[in-house]
Amino acid sequence: MKAAQLIEKIPNINTFKKFGKVNRVVGLMIESQGPESSIGDVCKIHVNSPKNGHQIILAEVVGFNNEYVVLMPYTSVREISIGCLVEGTGKPLEIKVGPELIGKVLDSMGNPFDGSSLPKGLVTVPTDKEPPNPLKRPPINKQLEVGVKAIDGMLTVGSGQRVGIFAGSGVGKSTLLGMIARNTQADLNVIALIGERGREVREFIERDLGEEGLSRSIVVAATGDQPALMRIKGAFTATAIAEYFRDRGLNVMLMMDSVTRVAMAQREIGLATGEPPAQKGYTPSVFSILPKLLERTGTNLKGTITAFYTVLVDGDDMNEPIADTVRGILDGHIVLDRTLANKGQYPAINVLKSVSRLMNHISSPEHVKAAERLRELYYTYSKSEDLINIGAYKRGTSKEIDDAIHYEPLITSFLKQGYKEKVTLEHTINELVALSNGGGK
């Protein structure tokens, strides 16, 4: 920065520091008398510990109780005591971003997870921003190759589209995200692992993502043992990083696993601050934070963020509150079916329950027609499967069912894909069209 620019900033510098002091600590929450601050501001709590000496613990203003400021720390409240000084920064959480972060694993504060120093030359950006103006969002009109046949062929995704991946536990969400990260034609991956087990973070990076995927990715991890605020900030930090690269004209792929754990973290904070529980214990703030977070992705005048959000559905119930809310916000949903996984079909995508709301607008008429034909045959077979399996259906009774019986193994074979197998969009469409035109007969 030039000297003239620095001189211009001098009149705007606040030379006063605002302090308060901790009044009480209740559960996850800290009440302090002062400092003057706003919701979302970051404060520094000065702790003097006999063991560790002077420490600074960062906390965020999450509410007010009469004349007291209600804070939630980003780390443990263990060493905070009555009378600790609370210093107000007057600013929300900010992180440093730049191309030098590609290939690194970060925490929710944007710092390297391995404890190393941040590279030089990074730019400071806020983690909480407003979504793009709806009238300044260019329409989505270009296909994005993700390298998964079931998605490229039957549920085509556009560059800038936001899609949910809905599944119960252990059905293959992380594996599917790893396939997409390695195979996609996007310029950069930003991957947010929110609320994961500590064991799974390294496993995902080494096994699912691999060196090839990590070399073009930035990973933000907030494990399940971290405070609720850190889990929420992990989602906002990853989104802010994706926005930074989108604003520089890149086509970014954002993958978040999982948005359900973001909602659970917000529920913890809401209940701690006194919000009443609403649907299944989720507080009203959960249903206000989700659209605010999810709407930040998509297109703007400079670039695109194509987003995949995983949704962990309790008991495979696709209509539970978070799944229902997220499905209404996004531009499509992919359902992973436990029954298909039990049959050994991977990825276990149920194309009959999944939909891409933009496929008809971004795919060629021939592609759309072929996908609809295969979907129709697959539906006919699934509807008559019980009769077929017990031998109650007699061949020749219905030409449509006869065709469905013939095509079912061919369609299943088309939808299957090896974990390390990469298939181009062009090859997928050609195979799909040939199959719909009788290529299997």
Side-chain angles (χ1 to χ4, degrees), residues 92-237:
L93 180 64
E94 295 179 329
I95 57 168
K96 293 185 178 294
V97 192
E100 295 81 4
L101 293 182
I102 297 174
K104 291 191 176 294
V105 182
L106 310 175
D107 63 15
S108 298
M109 312 293 287
N111 299 314
F113 221 99
D114 59 7
S116 61
S117 301
L118 281 170
K120 294 183 179 179
L122 303 179
V123 177
T124 301
V125 298
T127 59
D128 197 358
K129 295 173 66 178
E130 291 298 316
N133 187 314
L135 297 182
K136 293 182 180 179
R137 285 185 183 268
I140 298 169
N141 51 26
K142 182 182 177 184
Q143 293 178 342
L144 178 68
E145 180 180 322
V146 299
V148 179
K149 289 197 293 183
I151 299 176
D152 284 340
M154 306 292 286
L155 305 161
T156 310
V157 172
S159 186
Q161 187 171 346
R162 300 161 304 143
V163 182
I165 299 176
F166 294 74
S169 57
V171 188
K173 297 185 301 298
S174 298
T175 303
L176 179 59
L177 289 182
M179 289 178 68
I180 294 172
R182 291 193 311 273
N183 298 341
T184 181
Q185 293 301 304
D187 298 323
L188 174 71
N189 300 314
V190 179
I191 303 169
L193 304 177
I194 309 299
E196 293 283 355
R197 304 173 187 90
R199 169 185 63 82
E200 291 179 331
V201 173
R202 184 167 180 177
E203 282 188 3
F204 176 83
I205 293 168
E206 294 183 357
R207 185 186 62 193
D208 296 331
L209 192 58
E211 288 186 16
E212 178 189 358
L214 185 59
S215 66
R216 51 201 294 266
S217 303
I218 299 173
V219 179
V220 179
T223 53
D225 61 297
Q226 293 182 339
L229 194 57
M230 285 290 274
R231 282 174 267 149
I232 290 177
K233 290 303 170 185
F236 280 81
T237 294

Side-chain angles (χ1 to χ4, degrees), residues 56 64 91 112 115 125 143 161 171 212 223 229 254 266 294 316 324 327 332 335 341 356-357 361 373 375 408 434 441:
I56 292 179
F64 302 97
K91 298 186 296 185
V125 298
Q143 293 178 342
Q161 187 171 346
V171 188
E212 178 189 358
T223 53
L229 194 57
L254 172 66
Q266 181 60 37
L294 304 183
D316 295 328
D324 201 42
R327 190 165 51 239
V335 176
S356 170
R357 295 180 181 175
H361 303 288
R373 174 59 178 158
R375 189 186 292 267
E408 190 275 336
K441 287 193 174 183

